[in-house]
Amino acid sequence: MQNIPRQWTENGTLNRWIDEIASLCRPSHIHLCDGSDEEYDRLAKTLVDAGKLTLLNPAKRPHSFWCHSHPDDVARVEESTFICSLREEDSGPTNHWKEPAEMHRHLHTLFCGCMQGRTMYVVPYCMGPISSLFSVVGVEITDSAYVVLNMKLMTRMGKPALEHLEGGSFVPGVHSVGVPLAEGEKDLLWPCNPQARCIVHFPEERSIWSYGSGYGGNALLGKKCLALRIASAIGRDEGWLAEHMLILGITSPQGEKRYMAAAFPSACGKTNLAMLTPSLPGWKIECVGDDIAWIHVGRDGRLYAINPEAGYFGVAPGTSMKTNPNAMRTIQKNTIFTNVALTADHDVWWEGINGEAPEGLTSWLGEKWNPSKGAAAQPNSRFTVSAKQNPIYDTEADNPQGVPLSAIIFGGRRNSVIPLVYEALSWEHGVFMGASISSETTAAAKGDLGKLRHDPFAMLPFCGYHMGDYFRHWLEMGQKTAPEKLPRIYTVNWFRKSSDGHYMWPGFGENARVLKWIFERTAEEAPAQKTAIGYLPTELDVSHLSLSQEHMEKLLEVDKAAWLQETEGLAAYFKLFGQKMPEALLGELKELRERLEK
Ligand code: OXD
Ligand code: MN
């Protein structure tokens, strides 16, 4: 590279870093992104002209695009994701670790010349409302124009982020698809390098390096890498929480509004719950966020949450006017679809959208599809869209202070044992509930499907430090304020199955019935009984729902034998965290056992 201008921005550290990465990666061009609509359109057109994006039918899906990836680049890759803390014990038993200096040497080799023949995009972005004191600025350097387009939809990107940054510090992130181009060489449709793939975090340096994948969770560095793994480490040091949680506002027929945050593992319905259309008349849900919450103690002692993101990267299959009408309305225009199927008239299709597959589909692999070929849409296919298009976007989503939480909800995919809903006895018991979450694995991560695994706080793949320290941090958060100021904590389970293998609870809009009980509990208005595991509803509004008495009882039963077995599994799991496992949580486990044995 010759004659690289040095004055990219007003921030000297950023200018030096851009030059440093350019001389390492040796791109043919450098482009500092301003985040404008013109820039988005120009880049999208380049990708359309190169055959990498397909413009969808403007009469059906205006200003929207379809693309499909390499078949081996469709999900997060947990086995190639590293937390390189200075000391191995700070990364903990649930993360992969490599000695930072050794990893830096490896990355240096990987990134050396990796952008040859490509443009290096510099993407400043702000996680959180631009004017919020809680926001964090990141700068992603990437050689993927697809990543730039997605970052524009998912974050507050470009000029406003740079203005917010001024001379301050930022989280640097370098991303490359890992396929340098020789002079005159033709590019691949979806360049990626699965053999060399790695997604690396240095929590003390607050930096990110990602190589070889173009998939959202691996490549859009603001999302899982910054807003969860790096932010969780910042939150530990500064006294706040970065969580894998949706945030919703719920308003009762009497006009009272409360906010709730809910953590579920990937692809377990966070987007559906965050955008729910209540089946109960008079109740209203508004959406602050569908995936991530940063939670601080506010001046009044309550816990406040902001959504650091500005868009949705949602799972398409199963999304329909029946399951999530607000998501369907949100993705009506200005949306990027990745790995769904393409219809003959250039609209999108996926399993569960609305009945039978139409004739003439192109599958996510870019081939003519027929039913013998399996699913037409990849099970982890996604839509990327700005949150502002959501018809139930909560106006408070841009409040720089965040929204006050009345309830925190945990959940997982459990076909047995865990009841539909129950409430924690205390903050400590609630932290124990979060630590106890297990769930069946989904297509959001590479690996086996439907295998039950522990996923504490739905943060197993996203915690940037030792999980035992993370549990302790949650306990300490509860001591920062008076107990009555803290949100109440709940566990829910929409996925309980009957002996014939069918879901017992109808889910989706009917989940409003459970939210109503939670809402009323937080106002001391709903009846509950104290059981061995926590408070369970004595009455749940199931009006006009065809649900057998037997199923209703099953959904709210506490099967003591099954729960005792559950506690054995937990005792074994908690051993993993050794000395760092907080005594208070072991105490909660012991007390639960004693209550069950009584
Ligand atoms: C996501 C995930 O994309 O959790 O949100 O994998
Ligand atoms: Mn997620």
Side-chain angles (χ1 to χ4, degrees):
M1 292 290 309
Q2 278 173 357
N3 302 327
I4 301 170
R6 303 270 147 176
Q7 193 63 32
W8 297 103
T9 69
E10 302 295 311
N11 186 305
T13 312
L14 176 54
N15 293 339
R16 280 189 295 281
W17 179 67
I18 295 171
D19 282 350
E20 185 195 315
I21 300 303
S23 62
L24 173 68
C25 301
R26 298 200 292 273
S28 18
H29 300 98
I30 299 176
H31 174 84
L32 174 65
C33 294
D34 62 15
S36 63
D37 294 344
E38 295 71 38
E39 176 180 79
Y40 181 92
D41 289 342
R42 211 176 333 111
L43 284 177
K45 183 171 181 321
T46 316
L47 291 181
V48 170
D49 292 346
K52 292 172 186 237
L53 271 189
T54 298
L55 181 65
L56 292 174
N57 186 337
K60 298 197 160 241
R61 198 81 55 177
H63 199 231
S64 296
F65 303 94
W66 172 82
C67 61
H68 67 96
S69 77
H70 184 286
D72 193 15
D73 196 25
V74 295
R76 286 183 290 98
V77 276
E78 292 176 9
E79 74 269 20
S80 311
T81 301
F82 294 86
I83 302 294
C84 296
S85 45
L86 292 175
R87 299 184 311 177
E88 183 171 9
E89 74 219 55
D90 290 334
S91 148
T94 55
N95 284 314
H96 298 291
W97 180 84
K98 277 243 159 62
E99 200 272 312
E102 185 192 332
M103 181 56 96
H104 271 304
R105 279 193 293 278
H106 176 60
L107 291 170
H108 194 273
T109 314
L110 280 181
F111 279 82
C112 192
C114 70
M115 295 188 186
Q116 225 163 266
R118 298 188 185 281
T119 297
M120 173 177 124
Y121 300 95
V122 181
V123 186
Y125 60 95
C126 182
M127 299 311 286
I130 289 287
S131 60
S132 176
L133 287 177
F134 306 126
S135 294
V136 174
V137 173
V139 181
E140 173 163 357
I141 284 184
T142 177
D143 55 9
S144 162
Y146 167 85
V147 164
V148 178
L149 297 183
N150 278 268
M151 288 295 283
K152 154 92 170 154
L153 299 176
M154 292 299 297
T155 69
R156 291 141 175 113
M157 192 271 257
K159 238 172 132 200
L162 268 189
E163 280 163 13
H164 180 69
L165 173 66
E166 290 185 338
S169 63
F170 60 92
V171 175
V174 191
H175 167 254
S176 171
V177 292
V179 186
L181 288 173
E183 180 88 44
E185 193 183 353
K186 201 165 160 6
D187 199 5
L188 302 168
L189 203 56
W190 179 284
C192 63
N193 188 344
Q195 281 73 39
R197 198 159 45 191
C198 57
I199 297 96
V200 185
H201 309 73
F202 296 95
E204 287 93 354
E205 284 175 23
R206 318 271 200 237
S207 70
I208 306 158
W209 294 75
S210 169
Y211 187 87
S213 169
Y215 171 74
N218 304 325
L220 311 179
L221 302 186
K223 194 174 179 63
K224 304 301 182 182
C225 301
L226 191 160
L228 287 176
R229 298 194 191 99
I230 295 292
S232 62
I234 302 177
R236 169 200 57 190
D237 298 346
E238 295 182 354
W240 51 278
L241 296 167
E243 297 301 322
H244 193 206
M245 288 180 179
L246 66 91
I247 310 163
L248 61 81
I250 174 165
T251 307
S252 69
Q254 290 70 38
E256 196 192 332
K257 187 167 185 182
R258 289 173 182 233
Y259 286 96
M260 301 176 180
F264 298 83
S266 308
C268 286
K270 277 202 302 300
T271 305
N272 290 342
L273 186 62
M275 299 183 189
L276 175 144
T277 305
S279 61
L280 294 173
W283 288 82
K284 188 164 94 179
I285 302 282
E286 287 159 290
C287 179
V288 177
D290 79 329
D291 195 41
I292 300 177
W294 287 355
I295 303 172
H296 295 78
V297 183
R299 276 201 212 104
D300 61 0
R302 296 189 66 190
L303 299 196
Y304 283 75
I306 63 164
N307 171 17
E309 300 191 279
Y312 310 122
F313 181 63
V315 178
T319 308
S320 70
M321 282 310 281
K322 218 168 125 215
T323 61
N324 193 341
N326 287 317
M328 292 302 282
R329 291 181 193 112
T330 306
I331 59 178
Q332 206 42 62
K333 56 185 179 188
N334 308 324
T335 305
I336 299 173
F337 295 91
T338 305
N339 287 341
V340 304
L342 181 70
T343 64
D345 57 357
H346 275 204
D347 197 5
V348 287
W349 191 88
W350 48 78
E351 280 70 18
I353 191 172
N354 58 2
E356 295 289 295
E359 284 292 309
L361 277 185
T362 300
S363 77
W364 73 276
L365 291 161
E367 296 164 350
K368 215 168 152 11
W369 181 79
N370 68 56
S372 71
K373 295 194 167 177
Q378 210 282 334
N380 191 37
S381 52
R382 300 280 179 145
F383 52 78
T384 320
V385 68
S386 162
K388 288 267 166 68
Q389 289 190 187
N390 186 348
I392 58 157
Y393 184 69
D394 194 308
T395 47
E396 290 297 295
D398 288 305
N399 186 331
Q401 304 299 334
V403 294
L405 295 178
S406 297
I408 288 178
I409 302 170
F410 297 112
R413 235 174 234 277
R414 291 294 305 267
N415 57 30
S416 63
V417 188
I418 311 296
L420 180 61
V421 59
Y422 65 104
E423 183 185 280
L425 302 169
S426 63
W427 179 263
E428 289 72 22
H429 181 230
V431 175
F432 168 76
M433 276 169 28
S436 310
I437 293 298
S438 40
S439 189
E440 291 153 27
T441 50
T442 69
K446 189 170 154 51
D448 294 338
L449 291 185
K451 257 180 80 175
L452 193 62
R453 72 168 183 179
H454 290 278
D455 190 348
F457 291 80
M459 280 289 278
L460 182 72
F462 307 122
C463 186
Y465 61 103
H466 195 297
M467 225 358 134
D469 288 331
Y470 169 90
F471 297 156
R472 187 174 309 282
H473 182 47
W474 260 86
L475 290 166
E476 284 166 4
M477 283 297 288
Q479 284 157 11
K480 284 182 187 290
T481 189
E484 70 276 10
K485 304 264 186 188
L486 288 166
R488 293 195 189 195
I489 301 183
Y490 299 82
T491 291
V492 299
N493 179 22
W494 318 134
F495 300 97
R496 190 94 186 238
K497 285 186 178 163
S498 57
S499 47
D500 60 4
H502 290 107
Y503 290 116
M504 287 195 268
W505 180 249
F508 306 109
E510 305 297 356
N511 291 338
R513 298 168 188 274
V514 173
L515 297 187
K516 176 186 174 195
W517 183 76
I518 294 175
F519 181 102
E520 290 172 351
R521 284 293 295 165
T522 64
E524 306 282 356
E525 283 166 2
Q529 58 168 331
K530 195 168 175 179
T531 73
I533 63 166
Y535 294 103
L536 261 89
T538 47
E539 275 167 40
L540 199 68
D541 185 347
V542 285
S543 49
H544 313 293
L545 199 63
S546 61
L547 198 68
S548 70
Q549 184 65 19
E550 185 203 339
H551 279 181
M552 200 57 236
E553 279 167 17
K554 264 265 171 273
L555 283 165
L556 293 176
E557 86 175 350
V558 181
D559 177 341
K560 290 199 174 181
W563 268 96
L564 277 168
Q565 230 179 338
E566 189 82 8
T567 60
E568 272 168 36
L570 277 173
Y573 183 61
F574 287 166
K575 285 211 173 87
L576 189 61
F577 305 109
Q579 295 296 315
K580 296 220 186 215
M581 188 66 206
E583 279 301 321
L585 296 190
L586 294 174
E588 287 292 339
L589 179 62
K590 186 165 162 278
E591 282 168 29
L592 170 61
R593 232 189 220 145
E594 285 165 3
R595 290 195 302 268
L596 287 164
E597 276 164 353
K598 233 192 227 165

